[in-house]
Amino acid sequence: NFQRTRRTMSKKACCGSSDAAPACKKQKSENENGVASTGNGDAMTIDSVKDYYGKVLGNSKDLKTSACTAAGKPSHTVLEIIKKIPREVNDKFYGCGAPLPLGVEGLKFLDLGSGSGRDCYVAAALVGEKGSVTGIDMTAEQLKVARDHADNFCTKTLGYKKSNLNFIEGYIEKLADAGVEAESMDLVISNCVVNLSPDKPSVINEVYRALKPGGEFYFSDVYCDRRLPKHVQEHQVLWGECIAGALYVNDFIRYAKAAGFEDPRILMQSPIEVEDPELKAIVGEAKFMSITYRLFKLPGQLESLCEDYGQAVKYKGTIKGHESAYRLDDGHLFEAGKLALVCGNSAAMLGEGGVSWLAKHFEIIGDRSVHYGEFPCHGPPATAPSAAAPAACAPGGSCC
């Protein structure tokens, strides 16, 4: 299992002090840009977010705490690429992790809320010259930073004949309006952005629309073990701490399933502790955590429960950086060359029928011609926010 680390929150904001412009990329309800709210009121406006990320924050060192930091650290491959990225892009990057899968050569990426473009630059190197990466953001100043260095990074640093990076201005709730076509992307990534949207169902629905069949939404975000009351959602410091917009994890699972992502899988998770006495009194017994989820778009292949068809998989060891083993989620680690029994959903995610983007890296043995009942599963070790983890291969869980 991935190491569970503790994240702490002070009274100061992770994205600025409590008297600064509202932070954390929030957007107001039913605004002039046509983005509807899902209940956070007018506490945060698009204009204030643009101003904060474009003008108030000089660089990532201006962030006051690590509360918005996701579990785990980037892979060695990703860390080596980050070292090559222009300093301004790295300095002006505000994110909570590194949701960047390996083995993605030749694929098309979309990054939601791409900011200065750091994750896009990494993805540009991972997909190679035959792949492409698009970043979408609503902040003009951040987009300028991302665009300023893109051509030079791709042609000089990576040695490509032309840039495979593209940055567009728009809203993640309205990808179609920004020119993102249906079934045009192999992978969509997001770095602590979805929880900051006022209309989370629209974001998830738009991602599903944009993904090709077999594509994946691979992203890190902040979640809560309950629906937060209005006084917490509208608290200035908690907005700054990137906590007030945290989505109740079961509501997220409902939104994901409604969009078509039938079996959300957790890759890694880490608790966020509210230690400041005043803030702890405001949030009460609510518990927060950062989670990296994997959502596969596999129409007609994923079931609501974990079913046994006598299938097995063998990892080929072909993903650079994961030659000895590949982790699908926090309950599946596949050693190269070793057969492993899996449920039907896992077989689909790893390449049954050749649909999933992972198909070329796995051999699938067996089909669904015979059903042997429910697949014997159990959930991963429980961590905050829930005292009991979801059943494996059920929404939010994973098979073992």
Side-chain angles (χ1 to χ4, degrees):
N1 287 328
F2 285 85
Q3 180 181 6
R4 267 62 170 178
T5 56
R6 176 165 297 195
R7 309 295 178 190
T8 61
M9 288 170 44
S10 70
K11 190 175 179 180
K12 295 236 178 173
C14 73
C15 301
S17 61
S18 60
D19 57 354
C24 286
K25 303 183 181 177
K26 301 299 189 297
Q27 302 171 349
K28 74 177 181 180
S29 63
E30 204 58 48
N31 50 64
E32 65 275 17
N33 299 284
V35 178
S37 170
T38 54
N40 290 333
D42 293 323
M44 301 293 146
T45 69
I46 286 179
D47 288 340
S48 67
V49 172
K50 288 180 178 178
D51 182 70
Y52 195 82
Y53 277 84
K55 299 180 177 66
V56 177
L57 288 179
N59 56 54
S60 58
K61 294 177 182 177
D62 292 336
L63 301 176
K64 304 301 181 182
T65 79
S66 61
C68 297
T69 303
K73 68 177 183 178
S75 67
H76 174 75
T77 300
V78 170
L79 286 173
E80 290 301 306
I81 298 171
I82 290 174
K83 293 177 183 178
K84 301 176 183 179
I85 293 174
R87 181 173 179 177
E88 184 181 23
V89 173
N90 276 326
D91 284 350
K92 290 185 176 293
F93 174 76
Y94 315 110
C96 66
L100 293 155
L102 304 182
V104 294
E105 295 83 1
L107 301 185
K108 296 183 68 176
F109 265 70
L110 174 66
D111 183 10
L112 306 183
S114 54
S116 68
R118 191 206 71 175
D119 286 348
C120 290
Y121 279 64
V122 175
L126 294 176
V127 300
E129 197 165 6
K130 294 182 179 179
S132 66
V133 180
T134 298
I136 180 170
D137 202 273
M138 66 179 183
T139 309
E141 291 84 359
Q142 288 281 70
L143 285 168
K144 183 179 185 305
V145 172
R147 290 165 174 163
D148 281 351
H149 304 279
D151 286 348
N152 189 69
F153 178 76
C154 290
T155 59
K156 303 297 183 183
T157 304
L158 300 180
Y160 298 166
K161 292 181 180 179
K162 63 179 182 179
S163 175
N164 65 351
L165 277 170
N166 179 42
F167 294 96
I168 58 178
E169 185 169 357
Y171 301 92
I172 62 176
E173 301 86 355
K174 294 193 168 189
L175 297 178
D177 289 353
V180 179
E181 297 180 356
E183 298 188 357
S184 62
M185 297 293 168
D186 296 295
L187 283 154
V188 177
I189 60 174
S190 171
N191 205 331
C192 206
V193 171
V194 176
N195 102 92
L196 309 174
S197 169
D199 188 5
K200 299 169 181 66
S202 288
V203 175
I204 299 170
N205 288 335
E206 275 292 273
V207 169
Y208 191 88
R209 182 192 64 83
L211 282 171
K212 300 176 183 178
E216 179 184 357
F217 189 17
Y218 187 112
F219 69 110
S220 301
D221 229 304
V222 178
Y223 297 87
C224 187
D225 71 338
R226 65 196 66 195
R227 297 175 184 135
L228 294 170
K230 187 175 181 181
H231 75 275
V232 175
Q233 294 181 26
E234 297 180 350
H235 191 276
Q236 178 92 8
V237 176
L238 290 172
W239 273 119
E241 287 284 355
C242 304
I243 290 298
L247 186 61
Y248 171 43
V249 66
N250 285 343
D251 280 342
F252 162 72
I253 292 168
R254 292 183 182 102
Y255 295 156
K257 289 172 66 69
F261 296 113
E262 187 61 48
D263 187 1
R265 298 291 180 93
I266 293 174
L267 179 61
M268 62 182 76
Q269 56 187 314
S270 176
I272 298 173
E273 298 291 342
V274 181
E275 294 187 341
D276 180 86
E278 292 183 40
L279 295 184
K280 193 172 181 64
I282 293 167
V283 301
E285 295 303 309
K287 294 177 176 61
F288 302 90
M289 69 189 318
S290 57
I291 302 176
T292 298
Y293 267 107
R294 305 188 69 172
L295 309 183
F296 287 83
K297 179 177 179 177
L298 293 163
Q301 287 190 282
L302 298 181
E303 300 181 86
S304 60
L305 295 175
C306 185
E307 302 296 341
D308 187 355
Y309 296 96
Q311 293 170 295
V313 302
K314 183 190 292 184
Y315 173 48
K316 299 177 182 179
T318 50
I319 297 178
K320 186 177 180 180
H322 298 309
E323 291 86 354
S324 63
Y326 183 81
R327 184 172 290 280
L328 174 64
D329 53 44
D330 61 358
H332 283 95
L333 180 66
F334 298 99
E335 293 186 54
K338 182 180 180 180
L339 279 176
L341 295 175
V342 293
C343 70
N345 284 357
S346 293
M349 293 174 188
L350 297 173
E352 180 186 21
V355 180
S356 170
W357 73 270
L358 284 167
K360 65 181 180 180
H361 301 295
F362 286 84
E363 178 185 355
I364 311 298
I365 296 94
D367 55 30
R368 302 196 188 195
S369 58
V370 180
H371 181 233
Y372 297 97
E374 185 176 354
F375 192 89
C377 297
H378 63 274
T383 60
S386 175
C393 288
S398 50
C399 317
C400 295

